[in-house]
Amino acid sequence: MTTHILEMRSITKTFPGVKALQDVSLEVERGEIHAICGENGAGKSTLMKVLSGVYPAGTYEGEIVFEGAPARFGSINDSEDKGIVIIHQELALVPYLSVAENIFLGNEQRGRGGLVDWNKTNAEAAKLLARVGLTEQPITPVGALGVGKQQLIEIAKALSKEVKLLILDEPTAALNDTDSQHLLDLLRHLKGQGITSIMISHKLNEIENIADRTTIIRDGRTIETIDMSLPESTQDRIIKGMVGRDLENRYPHRTPQIGDEVLRVEDWTVHHPTQSERIVVDGASFTVRAGEVVGIAGLMGAGRTELAMSMFGHSYGRNITGRVFKRGKEIRTRTVSEAIAHGIAYATEDRKTYGLNLIEDIKRNVSAAGLHKMSSRGWVNGNEELKVAEEYRASLNIKAPNVLALTGQLSGGNQQKVVLSKWIYTDPDVLILDEPTRGIDVGAKYEIYTIINRLVAAGKAVVVISSELPELLGICDRIYTLAFGRITGEVAIADATQERLMELMTKEREQAK
């Protein structure tokens, strides 16, 4: 009997004008954790959508063999009937329904007369929650839970369908370190129960720690499958396969040329938008100078994004107090328009919801924040808009056939470049980047870091908020730490270590005051 639970043979998938996959082959052994790596746009998610029936049989070339038998899935229901369950990066949960209702949505536990048996539903849900390590009540609304627990509920939902092959697309992209570790431990536990997992991830340290084998895909083709138990199976080996070259230094070299202070924030305090008694940013003060990259580090919930959004046009919070100075002169940033007019730009961590219009083309997204620069008497100069977008497509290496391509069809890394293009076009003096490389591959990350270096070389001041401490250590000149909404430390890069930053990021509230 074959040890392979899955074989995908010579899979080719073509979209209009684009060959997303070409002769891709994948073999997954029963009971293993198999990682799939590749740059954004390499074809990883497309391959999994072929496998799960999102792209049905007949829309691609090649053959799928599951548990030794040819498989032709016409829909996602067909693949789930065979025990293949995919969990997408964007979770498919209904926030207003309970945990139990979400777990059994479309797979209801019915009793007499075909009606839903709620006692059975809640009892079975409780058993599944226990399997994934959750103690929440089955009647709890999903929207009341954090994203880490929601990810585990998705796995509980998969277990309810008697999953044999679990596919996870970037499962830890939006999770903090604790939740990520919990999820990886769960995958190991499920492996012990005989469940096979395929994990798509850009977090190479996690792949190195958990994967049995790793398949690398580049430009829609299979490059190689690596046995992760071998000593030569390092992160550098994976990177070389992904990008086709060695990245000797994951952070491009920069010689800082730091000038005068550009931005100073004093005693910035923000209250929660609905819980007015709750302070989410508490008396924060920081500075950033021309030609400088300043990092802001903090654990999930420390107030990093709340600080940035409240400064940028009071986009978050209420009862906001404090002072903002630009080149020594106090300014007001009560609206987004005011912030932009004062030369401040903010690239959000959630590019798909707040950063981009995914159903619009690249051209419209690039020009969105700077239309005043290309308009006269209320009319936008279409030729200028096209010219500007094309210039940014070329200079930031946005991989798209032209600027009329829909932004929603781009890979995550290229979407992030469109976000940066939009804000760079406003010619800001201060650019705040919130998780600028979340969910993108090492090659695209390197390109983003290069763009940041170009901005500070031109005299811009850049603030980077990131959950990845190695990233902050690799690109910043100074790093501030946040804990419980308060600045707990300021560390020059020469003195910064992950241990020192973590110590400051985990200060108790009384210590932070």
Side-chain angles (χ1 to χ4, degrees):
M1 181 178 177
T2 178
T3 60
H4 296 142
I5 190 173
L6 171 72
E7 295 177 63
M8 301 183 76
R9 302 170 179 167
S10 300
I11 302 296
T12 297
K13 173 65 178 174
T14 303
F15 297 102
V18 179
K19 184 162 283 190
L21 299 171
Q22 186 165 354
D23 294 323
V24 172
S25 295
L26 173 69
E27 294 181 345
V28 179
E29 294 183 3
R30 191 180 302 274
E32 76 169 340
I33 298 175
H34 195 110
I36 298 182
C37 285
E39 294 186 277
N40 289 100
K44 308 180 299 295
S45 296
T46 301
L47 184 65
M48 292 301 99
K49 288 177 180 177
V50 166
L51 171 59
S52 60
V54 174
Y55 297 140
T59 65
Y60 60 86
E61 300 173 23
E63 182 183 13
I64 297 174
V65 177
F66 185 67
E67 293 195 308
R72 290 177 59 84
F73 302 131
S75 70
I76 198 166
N77 290 331
D78 291 345
S79 63
E80 288 184 351
D81 287 343
K82 293 292 186 181
I84 301 172
V85 180
I86 184 169
I87 299 176
H88 297 280
Q89 187 173 355
E90 288 80 23
L91 302 182
L93 299 174
V94 182
Y96 302 108
L97 297 183
S98 71
V99 170
E101 287 171 317
N102 270 281
I103 288 175
F104 291 108
L105 188 61
N107 184 31
E108 286 77 11
Q109 304 296 293
R110 300 189 183 277
R112 291 181 179 179
L115 298 177
V116 175
D117 184 335
W118 289 110
N119 289 331
K120 182 180 180 182
T121 297
N122 290 326
E124 292 299 318
K127 294 177 184 177
L128 292 166
L129 291 176
R131 283 186 70 182
V132 299
L134 289 177
T135 59
E136 273 67 25
Q137 293 297 316
I139 60 173
T140 304
V142 161
L145 303 177
V147 67
K149 292 182 177 180
Q150 289 185 23
Q151 188 73 268
L152 296 178
I153 290 169
E154 281 277 24
I155 295 178
K157 186 175 180 179
L159 294 175
S160 76
K161 300 173 183 177
E162 299 182 2
V163 61
K164 299 176 182 177
L165 175 60
L166 181 63
I167 306 166
L168 302 105
D169 192 350
E170 294 289 351
T172 64
L175 304 187
N176 60 32
D177 290 343
T178 301
D179 288 340
S180 294
Q181 190 57 53
H182 188 179
L183 188 143
L184 297 178
D185 289 342
L186 175 59
L187 291 185
R188 292 189 182 96
H189 179 68
L190 295 177
K191 175 184 173 180
Q193 298 178 358
I195 294 175
T196 307
S197 297
I198 296 176
M199 185 174 79
I200 298 173
S201 180
H202 289 128
K203 295 186 176 181
L204 301 186
N205 60 322
E206 292 181 354
I207 287 174
E208 194 174 33
N209 288 333
I210 196 172
D212 297 301
R213 294 190 302 150
T214 299
T215 294
I216 299 171
I217 298 176
R218 185 172 76 233
D219 297 330
R221 296 175 180 270
T222 307
I223 301 302
E224 63 177 332
T225 295
I226 301 172
D227 182 345
M228 298 303 293
S229 66
L230 299 177
E232 63 267 24
S233 301
T234 62
Q235 292 185 40
D236 288 340
R237 165 82 179 274
I238 296 173
I239 290 170
K240 184 176 181 180
M242 287 172 60
V243 303
R245 64 188 187 282
D246 289 313
L247 281 182
E248 295 179 1
N249 191 337
R250 298 187 199 179
Y251 307 100
H253 176 73
R254 173 172 61 89
T255 302
Q257 300 291 332
I258 298 174
D260 296 332
E261 177 184 285
V262 177
L263 184 75
R264 183 167 82 255
V265 178
E266 292 184 352
D267 198 25
W268 197 257
T269 299
V270 181
H271 290 74
H272 192 276
T274 59
Q275 304 170 28
S276 57
E277 73 285 355
R278 179 181 164 197
I279 298 176
V280 291
V281 180
D282 193 358
S285 300
F286 69 93
T287 64
V288 58
R289 300 191 288 271
E292 183 179 37
V293 180
V294 168
I296 296 182
L299 299 176
M300 195 77 72
R304 302 167 305 169
T305 293
E306 292 82 354
L307 171 62
M309 290 184 69
S310 60
M311 284 177 50
F312 188 67
H314 293 196
S315 303
Y316 174 91
R318 58 186 301 183
N319 299 333
I320 299 171
T321 58
R323 305 172 76 188
V324 180
F325 295 85
K326 169 90 175 293
R327 302 193 192 281
K329 180 181 178 181
E330 187 169 3
I331 60 172
R332 294 184 181 274
T333 60
R334 296 167 299 182
T335 66
V336 170
S337 296
E338 271 190 338
I340 293 173
H342 285 300
I344 299 174
Y346 168 62
T348 172
E349 66 173 336
D350 188 351
R351 58 179 173 265
K352 292 189 175 182
T353 303
Y354 300 115
L356 296 168
N357 183 343
L358 296 177
I359 61 174
E360 269 289 6
D361 57 32
I362 296 171
K363 168 174 61 68
R364 290 290 173 84
N365 275 281
V366 170
S367 64
L371 285 174
H372 62 282
K373 298 177 65 177
M374 57 178 64
S375 61
S376 176
R377 298 179 181 178
W379 292 92
V380 175
N381 185 330
N383 290 332
E384 181 68 13
E385 187 180 31
L386 193 65
K387 176 186 173 185
V388 167
E390 187 57 48
E391 287 175 352
Y392 279 102
R393 185 177 77 91
S395 65
L396 271 64
N397 193 27
I398 299 171
K399 296 176 182 176
N402 54 61
V403 296
L404 300 181
L406 291 182
T407 309
Q409 294 179 348
L410 303 179
S411 67
N414 286 302
Q415 287 181 359
Q416 190 65 24
K417 292 177 190 177
V418 175
V419 173
L420 291 176
S421 299
K422 177 177 74 172
W423 290 116
I424 294 171
Y425 178 60
T426 66
D427 194 26
D429 296 308
V430 180
L431 180 58
I432 304 171
L433 304 176
D434 196 348
E435 300 286 5
T437 65
R438 171 176 286 172
I440 64 177
D441 62 80
V442 289
K445 283 183 178 183
Y446 192 91
E447 290 184 308
I448 299 295
Y449 302 147
T450 301
I451 293 167
I452 292 172
N453 285 356
R454 280 161 47 187
L455 290 170
V456 292
K460 307 296 184 183
V462 176
V463 178
V464 176
I465 299 169
S466 178
S467 300
E468 298 186 28
L469 296 184
E471 178 173 78
L472 293 177
L473 293 169
I475 67 174
C476 294
D477 300 300
R478 283 185 299 132
I479 301 173
Y480 289 96
T481 54
L482 267 176
F484 302 102
R486 294 185 65 88
I487 299 287
T488 56
E490 174 188 355
V491 186
I493 200 62
D495 303 321
T497 63
Q498 291 194 56
E499 292 75 16
R500 175 59 177 153
L501 294 177
M502 187 59 69
E503 177 188 351
L504 294 169
M505 289 159 55
T506 54
K507 276 191 173 183
E508 297 295 336
R509 181 177 294 275
E510 59 268 21
Q511 292 178 288
K513 289 182 179 179

